[in-house]
Amino acid sequence: MPQPSCTPKHGNFALIALGGNVASTHGGPGETLALALSALAGDDIQVTAQSRFYRTPCFPAGAGPDFVNAAAVVVTHLTPEVLLARLHEIETAFERKRDARWGARTLDLDLIAYEDRVLPDPETFTAWKDLPLEAQTQRAPASLILPHPRLQDRGFVLIPLADIAPDWRHPVLGQTVEQMLQALPEGQKTDIVPL
């Protein structure tokens, strides 16, 4: 499976989605995302590409103010689990609270994909991908699931990813980011605008 063209040939590439819709002590959502990208880069994680920032209607509707969303390609030797733990550490440093699933937040860093790995296995991935929306609002997986089981359904993830990794191919669905984005209904894309 080809890596995104913006990635060097050393290390493993991962796709990260960023979002936030309430201010932190560091500033508004846009400032918080920019600082989080800086915090992400370090000795063991290299940010090789980042998307534009987008204003996105809150999901689910009515759960809070509009979001600022973005995406990044990183290269790392960290395992997916350690990388996810690092993302959670950065969220905490930017005052992320996990009071309600899909609630308002200062910062959300999601590990969307790690190379072409399917974790923990294809069957578990498919079960979470096919979970009805009502159950998604009530349940969270106990372990890391990759690729993110709902990335193909979310314009606020796919539109920023299309800026930086349009040719990345989903290892289960077999579609590129660009193809998944084109398959979304227009109504799920029109209100997502670059800042």
Side-chain angles (χ1 to χ4, degrees), residues 5-94:
S5 59
C6 50
T7 352
K9 299 297 182 194
H10 61 282
N12 299 308
F13 77 86
L15 304 177
I16 311 292
L18 303 92
N21 70 334
V22 294
S24 71
T25 57
H26 304 279
E31 291 86 4
T32 299
L33 261 61
L35 290 169
L37 279 164
S38 295
L40 184 59
D43 292 340
D44 47 10
I45 301 172
Q46 179 186 8
V47 178
T48 62
Q50 72 178 61
S51 73
R52 295 172 286 176
F53 286 10
Y54 290 85
R55 182 181 51 77
T56 305
C58 187
F59 177 85
D66 286 352
F67 272 80
V68 176
N69 287 101
V73 176
V74 302
V75 172
T76 184
H77 289 290
L78 299 177
T79 66
E81 294 79 9
V82 173
L83 178 57
L84 180 63
R86 179 71 56 83
L87 298 180
H88 288 170
E89 288 171 6
I90 295 169
E91 288 178 340
T92 299
F94 285 88

Side-chain angles (χ1 to χ4, degrees), residues 6-179:
C6 50
T7 352
K9 299 297 182 194
H10 61 282
N12 299 308
F13 77 86
L15 304 177
I16 311 292
L18 303 92
N21 70 334
V22 294
S24 71
T25 57
H26 304 279
E31 291 86 4
T32 299
L33 261 61
L35 290 169
L37 279 164
S38 295
L40 184 59
D43 292 340
D44 47 10
I45 301 172
Q46 179 186 8
V47 178
T48 62
Q50 72 178 61
S51 73
R52 295 172 286 176
F53 286 10
Y54 290 85
R55 182 181 51 77
T56 305
C58 187
F59 177 85
D66 286 352
F67 272 80
V68 176
N69 287 101
V73 176
V74 302
V75 172
T76 184
H77 289 290
L78 299 177
T79 66
E81 294 79 9
V82 173
L83 178 57
L84 180 63
R86 179 71 56 83
L87 298 180
H88 288 170
E89 288 171 6
I90 295 169
E91 288 178 340
T92 299
F94 285 88
E95 301 134 31
R96 166 73 187 268
K97 306 286 187 232
R98 295 182 183 273
D99 300 327
R101 186 152 171 77
W102 294 352
R105 64 206 76 162
T106 58
L107 180 63
D108 191 17
L109 299 175
D110 283 334
L111 179 54
I112 297 298
Y114 188 100
E115 296 278 330
D116 60 356
R117 297 198 192 171
V118 180
L119 297 177
D121 54 65
E123 295 76 20
T124 303
F125 167 83
T126 299
W128 279 95
K129 178 183 76 63
D130 295 341
L131 197 66
L133 181 61
E134 183 177 316
Q136 293 174 28
T137 64
Q138 303 297 319
R139 297 175 53 194
S143 62
L144 176 60
I145 297 178
L146 289 176
H148 190 289
R150 288 173 297 282
L151 82 95
Q152 66 280 350
D153 303 322
R154 295 182 171 175
F156 63 86
V157 173
L158 291 171
I159 288 174
L161 279 179
D163 280 353
I164 55 174
D167 298 325
W168 176 78
R169 188 172 297 278
H170 195 295
V172 177
L173 304 179
Q175 295 178 311
T176 66
V177 167
E178 190 62 40
Q179 289 169 330

